[in-house]
Amino acid sequence: MHHTALLLILLIIIAFALLSRRISASLISLPMVFMAAGMGLGALTPDLVPIDMQQELTQVIAEITLIIVLFADASVVKLKSLRQNLAIPLRMLLIGMPLTVLLGTLMAKWVSPEAAWGTAMLVAAILTPTDAALGQAVVSSPSVPERIRQSINVESGLNDGLAVPVILASALLAVAATGTEVADAPNNLWTFALLQLTLGPLVGVLFGWGFARLLDAAIDRGYVTVIYQGILFLALAFLIYLVAETVGGNGFIAVFLGGLTFGNQLRHDTTFIEEFMESEGQLLTIATFLIFGAVMVPLAISHASWKTVALALMYLSVIRMIPIWISLTGLGLSAYEKTFLGWFGPRGLASILFALLIYDQYPIPGSDEILACVVLTVMISVVLHGVSAQPMAQRFVASRPTKDAAAAAKQGPPGH
């Protein structure tokens, strides 16, 4: 059965590759295809992944993929362009994100009044970070204005790390409500948060700048081939993550800011980054959603209830969109642009990873239901955000002639 399952996986990958151009122009996304494939394989071969390895394997693959996606996405963001529209992602992070956690906590408590406030806040904090991998169809679409694309990219790159102190604090509150102590909890949560949010960025910027200079020098002297530029890129992403985590900083923030610095400081052509993500990066995304569909989705369905489904739908709609609308007020964005930014907050790798870490390390009552809620949210997000990406992106194209005509009318006839 295992050989048959592997054969089916390879055939699905080959079929997807052969039809990739047609699929990319349709309403079907890569995560949708391979999540569904994973669900099918999980049903056919329930022992494909040993039970004692399922969550650990999912966690490792999700973490590896998230590190690479964050680093690669950040490396193609152009700071010169971002500076002109920096207020959008900053407002989304500094105003929209706290409001999302607050509204999510209130909604979780309303749906489950018996849950402790710490547990309600924990669910909200885990489901607030957005996912760069699931937003690829939008972030890479030329139909979407650059300021919108870059805002989504920067928000999804930084909110993972910003959520960590909130997730840890809420997990400790949830455990404290049970009268249980956590042995490896930080002695001072404020110090922990401060180190996470300062050492992580410092490591990312220093390593990104230093290795960009080093690679430029190697290219100038003809020491490095194009293939090994991609290998250096891959190794640097993990190096930054591990160094940041070792010194007490946040690895995800470090990786994103490291990629941002590296991509903007490198003087030579960065085409190798895009080529890397189109091959190795896509393979990791395929592996992640295959495992997610085969392992996590069945687990979530077995613990699902009307509460988990209701919360999943609310987190993907009102809990996300209302705070984003509020945070963007006064920036001159159109109603559609604010709706677009609010809607495209897909949940994916970061939420899965945080939920698994909490599930494994903290004895929180109802942890199975929390994990189910997170997995259901990601599963629904894969479908809804995948299906809506192309139509909503194309609407920007449809609206441009109208805007151009309006601008021409204001200027008056030629020679006026």
Side-chain angles (χ1 to χ4, degrees), residues 398-414:
S399 66
R400 279 171 193 162
T402 304
K403 290 181 179 178
D404 294 341
K410 286 183 180 180
Q411 293 176 356

Side-chain angles (χ1 to χ4, degrees), residues 190-328:
W190 291 107
T191 303
F192 170 81
L194 182 64
L195 292 175
Q196 286 270 298
L197 301 179
T198 54
L199 293 180
L202 183 63
V203 169
V205 171
L206 285 177
F207 276 67
W209 180 86
F211 279 90
R213 298 277 70 80
L214 192 62
L215 181 57
D216 276 330
I219 294 173
D220 287 339
R221 291 166 175 75
Y223 290 169
V224 60
T225 65
V226 174
I227 292 175
Y228 278 91
Q229 290 177 35
I231 293 174
L232 179 146
F233 175 81
L234 176 64
L236 180 57
F238 289 106
L239 177 66
I240 290 173
Y241 178 83
L242 289 172
V243 171
E245 290 289 320
T246 300
V247 299
N250 185 273
F252 296 123
I253 293 180
V255 165
F256 185 82
L257 291 178
L260 189 67
T261 307
F262 180 82
N264 282 275
Q265 289 297 315
L266 194 67
R267 289 185 289 101
H268 290 84
D269 185 28
T270 58
T271 306
F272 69 91
I273 297 175
E274 296 173 15
E275 291 175 349
F276 174 84
M277 283 308 295
E278 288 173 359
S279 53
E280 287 86 348
Q282 292 287 59
L283 282 174
L284 279 170
T285 303
I286 287 172
T288 299
F289 284 98
L290 272 172
I291 296 296
F292 175 73
V295 174
M296 302 308 298
V297 172
L299 178 65
I301 291 174
S302 67
H303 291 96
S305 65
W306 73 267
K307 292 181 180 181
T308 54
V309 174
L311 277 175
L313 292 172
M314 284 193 289
Y315 275 108
L316 294 174
S317 54
V318 293
I319 293 175
R320 158 77 182 180
M321 297 179 76
I322 292 174
I324 293 300
W325 259 78
I326 293 172
S327 71
L328 298 175

Side-chain angles (χ1 to χ4, degrees), residues 352-363:
I352 297 168
L353 185 58
F354 291 146
L356 287 172
L357 289 171
I358 294 299
Y359 186 90
D360 183 55
Q361 296 179 13
Y362 295 88

Side-chain angles (χ1 to χ4, degrees), residues 148-195:
I148 302 297
R149 285 187 278 127
Q150 293 207 348
S151 296
I152 292 172
N153 202 354
V154 171
E155 184 207 12
S156 65
L158 293 177
N159 59 16
D160 303 333
L162 293 174
V164 170
V166 184
I167 290 170
L168 180 58
S170 53
L172 293 174
L173 285 173
V175 173
T178 67
T180 307
E181 293 186 2
V182 180
D184 57 350
N187 294 326
N188 189 311
L189 191 59
W190 291 107
T191 303
F192 170 81
L194 182 64
L195 292 175

